[in-house]
Amino acid sequence: MALTTQVKEHPFHHLIDTLKDGRIKFFNPQKLNDPRYDKLPFSIRVLLEAAIRNCDGFYTKMEDVQKILAWQEQQDKAEVPFSPARVILQDFTGIPAMVDLAAMRDAVAKHGVDPALINPKCPTDLIVDHSFQIDFSKCAIQNTPNPGGGDGPTQNQASSRSTASRPFIRGDFQCGDRRGSCSKAACSDSPTSLGPSPASVQQIENTPLLCPFHLQPISETETALKNQEMELFRNKERLQFYKWCSKAFKNVNVVPPDVGAVHQVNLEYLSRVVQVSDGWIYPDSVVGTDSHTTMVNGLSILGWGVGGIESEAVMLGQPVSLTLPQVVGCKLVGSINPLSTSIDIVLGITKHLRQAGVSGKFVEFFGPGVSQLSVPDRTTIANMCPEYNATVSFFPVDAVALKHFKKTNFSQEKLELVESYMKAVHLFRSYEKPQEDPQYSEVIEINLSSMVPYISGPKRPQDRVAVSRMKEDFQSCLDEKVGFKGFHISKEKQKIQVPLLHCGQEYRLAHGAVVIAAVISCTNNCNPSVMLTAGLLAKKAVEAGLVVRPYIQTSLAPGSGMVTHYLSTSGVLPYLKQLGFEVIGYGCATCVGNMAPLPEAVVDAIRKGDLVACGVLSGNRHFEGRLCDCVRANYLAPPPLVVAYAIAGTVGIDFEKEPLGLTPGGEEVYLRDIWPSREEVQQTEEDTVISSIFKDLKRRMEKGNTFWNNLECPDSVVFSWDFKSTYIHPPPFFSRLSKDVPAAQPIENAHALLFLGDKVTTDHISPAGSIARASAAAKYLLSKRLTPRQFNSYGARRGNDAVMTRGTFASIKLQNRLIGKPGPKTLHIPSGQTMDVFEAADRYQRDGVPLIILAGRDYGSGSSRDWVAKGPYLLGVRAVIAESFENLHKNQLVGMGILPLQFISGQNADSLDLSGKERFTILVPESVGLRQQLTVKTSKGTSFCVTAMFDSEKDVICFQHGGLLRYVARAALSSSPRPGADSAGCPPCP
């Protein structure tokens, strides 16, 4: 923080206090001498401090401070600004933001404004992690050389880091490893041989052509290196752009690939608890484009996820605008069941909070039970905010947190500073002192002793199933009609078993068969206790002689090297590896659909028997079809249960009554026989989770990698666009940008591009996985002379609007009532033709026809992605009419200038007898008010009212400008900056 105005001119200069003998200054709200302060929830106190410190009379005013202080009366009423200390971006959602800033530089330069003025004003960290894919796992060959697309490195392009490279195969076969062996007869040179011909083998470096069935498994280290090589090669254009950003923009720090996942890096390296800058100290805080941003709430850091458009605004110096939230106090009591894992506690709390209805609210934890939760437990609970729709789940600093910080390389001086500052401003608390409890909007009490092991599925994270009832529940899913909990398999087909020949051995697949088991780079991996439980369970399983069937695609993608470090140090990593859970690299993989195809024999068996095959993963996203389109049932489970179900080979097992498997001597082994005790796990955690693991991450952060360090990029103020690039392309958001704000216009004679139902997620609107070969995006890439192997994924191509617009509504699970079956198609109403959504939208735009979308309840739930708003905008969508919106997505629509309209309570498209084929005229006045009712007229002669979902004046201004990006660009084009402002039109921030 740098005070650019004289301290004495600050409206709250009388609150300035000092630490360290006057060397460090801070604003102390205690000096307000207002009794309301100590009754405020701790999260609201952080908002208050930020408002005091950033009070500049423009973005943040003195009345904003008073509103926050009067939180009890102003909650759900007053709109206040919040200026976070930093912004964090992951690469899939970060690259659109950086591309927009580069394009904004072009736009202002055309108007004669210095493009160098366009810079993030708020410190921004961009972590390159989401482009990772699993090309190698267990063996150096896979069913395809690059399941996500993109060419593999050629003989001369492979990294010199690889020491014992093997060929990988373009065919459909996978050799046996320690978990199975192949039939030597399959390697015959006869014409009927199952083995691929030499022409189907692609070499890496100077390796011989070897029979794929006789390759020895490569080491864990080499597996990770191979995956990293592929990641760096296929994403070279994107990485060059990131490198340019790190050099061209001020306040941008790019964390290169092969360091860790965004949330892990955020927790272990970027989080400060308190920020100390230019002699000032203040609480750390953050907004980020990753859905896991809320994990930092477990470290007592206020932060939450925002859309890419909102993050860009914060980067450019504008505060986040929010309505003062209700704060739900979650009181934890009771003792934790010794058989419950941390994830059981997390999922139990998640269920309670979802049922309590905390959507859009702050949750703050207190009570004696909080002290039983480790900081990793707290961060995992906070991470689940998107699942119970809270904005944050905040844990104030206490003695447990300080003890954790000591392990994470906080110096003794820093620890003392944190404790002194937090106590000075009353942000430190003791959970054993009820007299310190703030006043909350409401209180929910949760008894920790009631938590039992659960998993979630088969399609939604909120559908929790007690492990003791899993077999029974899966059977009911087979019986139930198709829906969130049903697959509707007839009784006569439920007992079917399909033979499967894999690696020369025959198996039988049935409903409930586990074919994917993934311990992935997500929230569970940052919690040492559950990862160590998984490792210790694997150790006991191997010692008992248990194995995992070789056709099950297993993987271990840790959130960072920290996880690998403590798994290795504790001695459990070799046992995980022996069961097939090898470290395959660092980054989001299976959870976002970045995985190799299943063996063809497995896919054929699933399709032949119409089987409900299962995936089990330790993530927090598992919508149907997200992992693999032939795997219909997916379950979220803590890491030890992922390993357990992989050993069992089916989810249709009662762990209490049925054995996991047999020892080589034929003895039955039950889960209880190999489950490590809580004391054993805690002792292992104490012995291994030490400061050295954080030092290792710091070393990786600072060292980078050779590829990144040697990567060349343009040296210019404006980016040198390569218009042949299919990764980076300047978006058209600033075309025809005028200095004056255009008047709002009615939307006349619009057609419905889509007629959607309830629970349309961001996965439906903007898929993040692979690009289907028959999709509009694929047709575009083919026109650029790319092969399907070079498509990569939608996530990796988010810097190209041409791809992402064509990928909007490209989900194979999209249910569009205009055509009556799932798929990325719609009806072009004037012609009566069914076509790709993009092709229909393009035809409407060429004919000058505006578009709307009709939808049901909870439109836009899921992860924050800016393309879920940018894509519809570029398709020509002017408004979305829905029964209700997920709040974050509603904000994203406003941020792109799309009008979010909500049916009046009790009404929907069906009650209004809408077919979706009408033409709609929306009467939009020049000045739209907050929650104003607007009239919609249809071509049938009917009309109905809707509510414009504007919750703040900022929403209205944003819509009037045609979105946040244009609003910020117009500020930069201002020829008469406000007094005291810089030349980009933004006032100085204290």
Side-chain angles (χ1 to χ4, degrees):
M1 179 182 68
L3 285 171
T4 55
T5 57
Q6 293 294 323
V7 170
K8 291 184 179 179
E9 296 176 3
H10 195 285
F12 290 101
H13 71 274
H14 57 288
L15 303 184
I16 294 175
D17 214 334
T18 61
L19 294 171
K20 295 282 184 179
D21 300 324
R23 288 175 290 160
I24 297 179
K25 300 178 182 178
F26 65 99
F27 287 92
N28 190 351
Q30 280 293 108
K31 297 180 73 173
L32 289 168
N33 296 320
D34 193 313
R36 293 177 295 179
Y37 179 72
D38 281 334
K39 294 298 182 181
L40 291 176
F42 283 70
S43 52
I44 301 300
R45 297 181 198 183
V46 176
L47 292 180
L48 179 65
E49 188 281 337
I52 290 173
R53 176 167 40 88
N54 290 286
C55 188
D56 61 0
F58 181 75
Y59 284 131
T60 305
K61 302 177 182 179
M62 293 186 68
E63 49 263 40
D64 293 320
V65 173
Q66 293 303 318
K67 288 176 184 176
I68 300 173
L69 199 55
W71 168 80
Q72 283 288 356
E73 297 77 30
Q74 295 293 331
Q75 56 184 295
D76 276 347
K77 298 177 184 178
E79 178 189 352
V80 296
F82 174 54
S83 297
R86 55 192 174 91
V87 174
I88 190 166
L89 309 172
Q90 50 99 323
D91 56 341
F92 275 12
T93 51
I95 193 167
M98 302 313 297
V99 167
D100 288 346
L101 290 182
M104 193 182 296
R105 280 194 168 187
D106 292 345
V108 300
K110 291 178 182 178
H111 285 267
V113 175
D114 183 2
L117 293 175
I118 301 297
N119 283 296
K121 298 183 182 301
C122 185
T124 300
D125 295 287
L126 190 151
I127 290 83
V128 183
D129 69 330
H130 272 51
S131 56
F132 178 81
Q133 296 183 22
I134 303 175
D135 294 289
F136 296 91
S137 175
K138 299 187 277 297
C139 294
I141 57 174
Q142 284 290 0
N143 301 327
T144 59
N146 177 18
D151 287 326
T154 65
Q155 181 172 332
N156 294 327
Q157 291 166 328
S159 169
S160 60
R161 296 181 303 171
S162 181
T163 57
S165 301
R166 313 231 186 255
F168 64 69
I169 306 304
R170 195 175 301 179
D172 297 327
F173 306 96
Q174 186 170 342
C175 75
D177 61 3
R178 67 188 75 66
R179 298 193 289 142
S181 60
C182 68
S183 169
K184 292 185 179 181
C187 298
S188 169
D189 292 329
S190 68
T192 58
S193 169
L194 294 176
S197 66
S200 67
V201 179
Q202 178 179 345
Q203 284 185 276
I204 301 179
E205 294 186 344
N206 298 316
T207 53
L209 299 179
L210 299 178
C211 167
F213 294 100
H214 286 164
L215 289 177
Q216 294 298 313
I218 63 176
S219 68
E220 169 265 316
T221 303
E222 189 178 349
T223 302
L225 289 176
K226 290 294 184 184
N227 283 310
Q228 291 156 12
E229 287 172 4
M230 292 299 298
E231 175 188 10
L232 298 174
F233 176 81
R234 69 162 61 93
N235 293 287
K236 183 177 180 180
E237 289 181 44
R238 295 170 57 249
L239 296 176
Q240 285 177 321
F241 176 72
Y242 286 141
K243 191 73 173 285
W244 174 81
C245 290
S246 67
K247 295 170 62 177
F249 290 112
K250 298 177 181 178
N251 285 330
V252 172
N253 171 48
V254 177
V255 178
D258 190 28
V259 172
V262 54
H263 42 286
Q264 201 75 50
V265 175
N266 189 20
L267 284 177
E268 298 169 16
Y269 187 81
L270 301 175
S271 295
R272 298 287 184 267
V273 185
V274 296
Q275 295 278 359
V276 181
S277 177
D278 296 330
W280 292 84
I281 187 171
Y282 51 97
D284 190 12
S285 57
V286 61
V287 294
T289 59
D290 186 77
S291 60
H292 302 288
T293 302
T294 51
M295 294 184 82
V296 297
N297 298 161
L299 295 178
S300 312
I301 298 169
L302 189 64
W304 60 86
V306 296
I309 304 162
E310 293 169 298
S311 68
E312 290 179 50
V314 177
M315 289 162 61
L316 292 168
Q318 295 191 49
V320 175
S321 181
L322 74 156
T323 301
L324 272 176
Q326 293 185 41
V327 181
V328 176
C330 185
K331 186 175 184 179
L332 302 182
V333 299
S335 300
I336 296 176
N337 186 319
L339 297 179
S340 296
T341 67
S342 298
I343 302 307
D344 297 322
I345 304 301
V346 170
L347 294 179
I349 291 173
T350 298
K351 177 184 177 182
H352 280 286
L353 292 175
R354 179 175 285 277
Q355 292 175 338
V358 295
S359 179
K361 302 175 183 178
F362 282 16
V363 175
E364 191 167 295
F365 291 87
F366 74 111
V370 177
S371 298
Q372 299 178 56
L373 300 177
S374 68
V375 169
D377 290 341
R378 300 176 188 187
T379 61
T380 313
I381 292 168
N383 174 75
M384 298 301 281
C385 274
E387 309 311 325
Y388 45 82
N389 285 327
T391 302
V392 299
S393 287
F394 193 72
F395 290 83
V397 172
D398 67 340
V400 173
L402 289 179
K403 184 178 179 181
H404 173 81
F405 299 150
K406 189 174 183 178
K407 293 180 180 179
T408 59
N409 289 334
F410 273 44
S411 66
Q412 186 62 35
E413 182 182 10
K414 177 68 179 290
L415 281 172
E416 292 173 357
L417 183 62
V418 169
E419 184 173 5
S420 298
Y421 172 72
M422 289 297 189
K423 287 182 175 179
V425 296
H426 285 205
L427 286 175
F428 186 94
R429 78 155 307 170
S430 170
Y431 293 105
E432 286 71 34
K433 297 180 179 179
Q435 65 271 24
E436 293 185 4
D437 293 348
Q439 292 179 351
Y440 294 108
S441 305
E442 61 176 307
V443 173
I444 300 170
E445 184 170 295
I446 297 177
N447 193 323
L448 295 176
S449 61
S450 66
M451 305 300 179
V452 296
Y454 278 91
I455 64 176
S456 296
K459 302 179 184 180
R460 302 187 303 177
Q462 63 263 40
D463 295 326
R464 297 175 67 238
V465 184
V467 173
S468 60
R469 292 190 61 255
M470 182 58 198
K471 183 175 182 178
E472 173 189 344
D473 187 81
F474 182 74
Q475 179 61 49
S476 69
C477 289
L478 295 179
D479 295 332
E480 290 294 325
K481 65 181 181 180
V482 175
F484 294 126
K485 288 284 289 183
F487 298 101
H488 196 56
I489 305 298
S490 63
K491 289 292 184 182
E492 60 271 17
K493 292 184 178 181
Q494 288 185 13
K495 301 300 182 182
I496 189 173
Q497 292 190 353
V498 183
L500 162 68
L501 182 64
H502 183 79
C503 295
Q505 187 170 345
E506 185 172 301
Y507 303 89
R508 303 188 74 82
L509 287 190
H511 293 290
V514 174
V515 294
I516 299 172
V519 178
I520 59 178
S521 56
C522 203
T523 166
N524 299 337
N525 293 25
C526 77
N527 192 317
S529 66
V530 289
M531 289 299 291
L532 290 171
T533 301
L536 290 169
L537 185 145
K539 179 176 184 292
K540 293 174 183 288
V542 170
E543 290 172 345
L546 300 181
V547 297
V548 173
R549 294 164 180 82
Y551 62 79
I552 299 175
Q553 187 179 95
T554 52
S555 61
L556 169 58
S560 77
M562 164 189 173
V563 182
T564 303
H565 181 93
Y566 66 66
L567 289 177
S568 178
T569 303
S570 62
V572 299
L573 191 60
Y575 299 98
L576 286 165
K577 180 180 177 181
Q578 192 162 340
L579 293 179
F581 293 93
E582 298 181 89
V583 176
I584 48 81
Y586 303 96
C588 288
T590 306
C591 194
V592 292
N594 288 347
M595 56 174 286
L598 294 174
E600 198 66 33
V602 174
V603 175
D604 288 344
I606 292 172
R607 289 174 176 166
K608 181 178 179 180
D610 191 27
L611 299 178
V612 180
C614 300
V616 186
L617 63 153
S618 62
N620 70 344
R621 286 288 188 275
H622 67 325
F623 301 122
E624 185 178 10
R626 183 177 174 114
L627 273 65
C628 178
D629 58 5
C630 66
V631 180
R632 285 187 273 175
N634 298 302
Y635 289 91
L636 303 182
L641 284 179
V642 173
V643 177
Y645 277 110
I647 295 171
T650 179
V651 299
I653 181 175
D654 185 334
F655 285 131
E656 183 63 32
K657 300 177 181 178
E658 299 174 73
L660 280 177
L662 303 176
T663 67
E667 297 179 7
E668 294 181 339
V669 179
Y670 289 82
L671 181 60
R672 58 178 174 269
D673 298 329
I674 61 173
W675 192 270
S677 69
R678 194 174 188 84
E679 292 74 22
E680 185 179 2
V681 173
Q682 290 177 341
Q683 185 61 49
T684 305
E685 182 176 359
E686 289 176 4
D687 292 342
T688 58
V689 184
I690 54 177
S691 61
S692 63
I693 58 183
F694 292 90
K695 291 178 181 177
D696 180 66
L697 175 66
K698 183 178 180 181
R699 178 191 61 80
R700 291 164 63 91
M701 288 278 294
E702 295 174 349
K703 181 180 178 181
N705 59 62
T706 303
F707 182 94
W708 173 264
N709 295 338
N710 295 334
L711 192 63
E712 295 181 356
C713 68
D715 186 11
S716 56
V717 176
V718 294
F719 186 65
S720 301
W721 304 98
D722 177 2
F723 288 92
K724 294 180 181 180
S725 172
T726 55
Y727 280 96
I728 308 296
H729 185 266
F733 302 131
F734 305 103
S735 60
R736 297 187 297 276
L737 177 68
S738 63
K739 292 184 179 181
D740 298 325
V741 181
Q745 299 291 328
I747 302 172
E748 297 181 335
N749 293 317
H751 268 305
L753 177 63
L754 297 163
F755 187 6
L756 306 172
D758 298 338
K759 302 289 183 180
V760 174
T761 71
T762 51
D763 274 5
H764 292 120
I765 303 170
S766 183
S770 60
I771 299 173
R773 297 191 180 190
S775 65
K779 295 173 186 176
Y780 168 80
L781 293 173
L782 288 170
S783 74
K784 299 297 182 182
R785 299 185 178 182
L786 298 183
T787 65
R789 290 177 55 248
Q790 296 170 310
F791 285 176
N792 212 322
S793 64
Y794 283 116
R797 293 191 179 274
R798 278 186 181 164
N800 187 327
D801 59 280
V803 174
M804 296 307 297
T805 305
R806 288 166 172 81
T808 302
F809 297 110
S811 169
I812 61 173
K813 299 297 181 181
L814 183 71
Q815 295 279 355
N816 179 12
R817 294 173 61 178
L818 290 178
I819 60 171
K821 59 182 179 180
K825 302 284 186 179
T826 195
L827 180 69
H828 181 257
I829 297 170
S831 68
Q833 292 181 288
T834 297
M835 56 184 68
D836 288 336
V837 174
F838 171 79
E839 292 171 354
D842 183 58
R843 189 164 174 180
Y844 280 125
Q845 289 199 70
R846 284 187 278 112
D847 293 338
V849 178
L851 298 172
I852 67 167
I853 290 172
L854 296 174
R857 295 187 294 271
D858 299 327
Y859 181 77
S861 59
S863 303
S864 62
R865 296 184 187 143
D866 55 350
W867 274 107
V868 296
K870 289 179 177 177
Y873 171 82
L874 292 180
L875 288 176
V877 174
R878 299 279 304 281
V880 178
I881 305 177
E883 287 185 65
S884 63
F885 292 88
E886 197 277 333
N887 191 58
L888 176 58
H889 183 58
K890 185 270 295 180
N891 293 337
Q892 292 169 333
L893 293 175
V894 174
M896 282 309 302
I898 296 176
L899 188 58
L901 302 173
Q902 189 164 297
F903 289 108
I904 301 300
S905 179
Q907 293 185 350
N908 57 32
D910 291 330
S911 69
L912 295 170
D913 196 28
L914 300 177
S915 68
K917 298 180 181 179
E918 304 88 349
R919 299 197 76 160
F920 300 84
T921 296
I922 304 172
L923 304 181
V924 183
E926 288 191 13
S927 179
V928 184
L930 305 185
R931 298 277 176 150
Q932 182 176 343
Q933 286 196 3
L934 307 181
T935 299
V936 181
K937 296 182 178 181
T938 73
S939 55
K940 296 191 302 185
T942 61
S943 64
F944 57 94
C945 289
V946 293
T947 303
M949 299 302 291
F950 295 139
D951 295 322
S952 67
E953 290 299 327
K954 183 178 178 181
D955 285 350
V956 174
I957 293 172
C958 205
F959 174 74
Q960 290 172 339
H961 277 264
L964 266 175
L965 296 177
R966 294 191 174 199
Y967 172 59
V968 173
R970 285 194 177 97
L973 294 180
S974 174
S975 58
S976 301
R978 293 181 301 275
D982 62 22
S983 55
C986 298
C989 298

